[in-house]
Amino acid sequence: MKTRHVRFSYSQAIQLANWSIEIFYNEEDVYGFKFKDFWNELREEIILRLLKPHKKTILHYYLEYVDGFVEHDVRSTLSNLSVSEYEAYIYYEVKLIEGAGIDLQEVDIDFESIINCEHCKKCIECIRFEEFVDFLVSMQEEINPTVINSSFHLLMLNKSFLRDFHEELANCLTYEENDLDFEYPESFKKGNKVKRIRWPAWLKKGLFYRDNGVCIVCRNDLTGVINRGGDFEIDHIVPISNYGNNDPSNLQILCKECNLKKLNKSSLISVYAVPLWDI
């Protein structure tokens, strides 16, 4: 089956990924943000994704949550700028939106007039400016799903973050007051630990591609091109025995030998990757 090609928006995705990592690791320093609130507000959607893989993962929901938490929309940003800074910011925002594959109209705003009237919001040029800002806001909303998905693909490469993210989800499961095996008897065991499942083909293909077709521990080729055999197994980064889950962002590929050694005892990851070329 041919893989569909989609638009990515790397500039904004990098920004959102950075916010998501920074907020996650510095929760105490970020006013109003608590990971537990993310769990509580989206509990039902999260639990469904703990049980079995969905293409829209828990990580997608976390990125949406962070994106809504951080005030970075066009109007909020403009309110914190001086009028003389409007032009540079608007052109920057236009470039970001065009970076997502959207062709925008030429910016036809007389910024000098807006500076002279100190953005009175009443003159013709200010009204035209406000209309263009509304247009940018609508375009930003249109590309937001692209930004979220692009950021997801970036964070899926960050195994250290994925491990810590799912260890935090495991903590939430540990302190869950309800007996989830009563709510979801087919998917949870006693003690709020998820049951193992069979993996769908789309997931196997995606993880194999993400991990470059090599065992993440011993780095042996699993494609069958370089080495004979090519069998691989899907491993939980945070093991089910430690309240890990079946969300795609908690999974990686291992060869059979390394998977047997790892068992269910550790959240073993690797920071190695295949470079484009050696330096």
Side-chain angles (χ1 to χ4, degrees), residues 9 11-12 15 91-100 143:
S9 177
S11 295
Q12 293 191 67
Q15 189 178 54
Y91 277 102
Y92 166 74
E93 191 66 33
V94 166
K95 282 293 182 185
L96 289 180
I97 294 172
E98 288 180 338
I143 68 169

Side-chain angles (χ1 to χ4, degrees), residues 173-190:
L173 263 183
T174 303
Y175 294 111
E176 177 68 29
E177 296 178 356
N178 298 326
D179 292 326
L180 295 176
D181 61 304
F182 180 77
E183 289 186 60
Y184 307 90
E186 295 182 355
S187 302
F188 275 98
K189 298 181 287 187
K190 277 196 171 183

Side-chain angles (χ1 to χ4, degrees), residues 8-139:
F8 273 36
S9 177
Y10 283 115
S11 295
Q12 293 191 67
I14 291 169
Q15 189 178 54
L16 178 56
N18 284 336
W19 286 336
S20 300
I21 293 171
E22 184 177 355
I23 287 173
F24 179 81
Y25 287 113
N26 299 284
E27 180 179 315
E28 295 180 359
D29 298 326
V30 180
Y31 179 77
F33 185 91
K34 292 183 180 178
F35 193 86
K36 188 68 175 177
D37 291 339
F38 163 67
W39 171 274
N40 289 334
E41 290 181 30
L42 295 167
R43 178 182 178 276
E44 184 175 343
E45 294 293 346
I46 292 173
I47 288 178
L48 290 176
R49 284 157 176 78
L50 297 176
L51 309 181
K52 67 177 184 178
H54 288 67
K55 291 184 178 180
K56 183 174 180 179
T57 68
I58 299 172
L59 187 55
H60 283 95
Y61 278 93
Y62 176 69
L63 287 164
E64 288 177 351
Y65 191 82
V66 170
D67 186 61
F69 178 81
V70 179
E71 289 190 359
H72 66 98
D73 61 276
V74 178
R75 289 206 173 277
S76 296
T77 304
L78 285 172
S79 67
N80 293 316
L81 297 177
S82 66
V83 178
S84 61
E85 296 173 304
Y86 282 4
E87 183 174 8
Y89 171 70
I90 291 297
Y91 277 102
Y92 166 74
E93 191 66 33
V94 166
K95 282 293 182 185
L96 289 180
I97 294 172
E98 288 180 338
I102 303 293
D103 291 327
L104 295 184
Q105 63 198 62
E106 184 179 348
V107 180
D108 185 23
I109 303 293
D110 186 350
F111 289 98
E112 194 66 36
S113 295
I114 295 174
I115 292 173
N116 291 335
C117 75
E118 298 181 348
H119 193 200
C120 68
K121 298 184 180 181
K122 297 178 181 179
C123 68
I124 293 176
E125 203 57 43
C126 281
I127 292 172
R128 291 181 67 245
F129 175 74
E130 292 298 321
E131 290 174 348
F132 188 73
V133 170
D134 287 339
F135 171 72
L136 290 181
V137 170
S138 67
M139 288 296 99

Side-chain angles (χ1 to χ4, degrees), residues 163 235-239 249-252 262 266-269:
R163 175 198 60 206
D235 168 66
H236 294 85
I237 296 175
V238 176
S249 58
N250 188 44
L251 305 173
Q252 59 190 357
K262 180 176 183 283
S266 69
S267 300
L268 181 65
I269 58 166

Side-chain angles (χ1 to χ4, degrees), residues 24 27 35 163-173:
F24 179 81
E27 180 179 315
F35 193 86
R163 175 198 60 206
D164 297 343
F165 179 76
H166 283 281
E167 286 182 345
E168 193 62 36
L169 286 172
N171 288 335
C172 292
L173 263 183

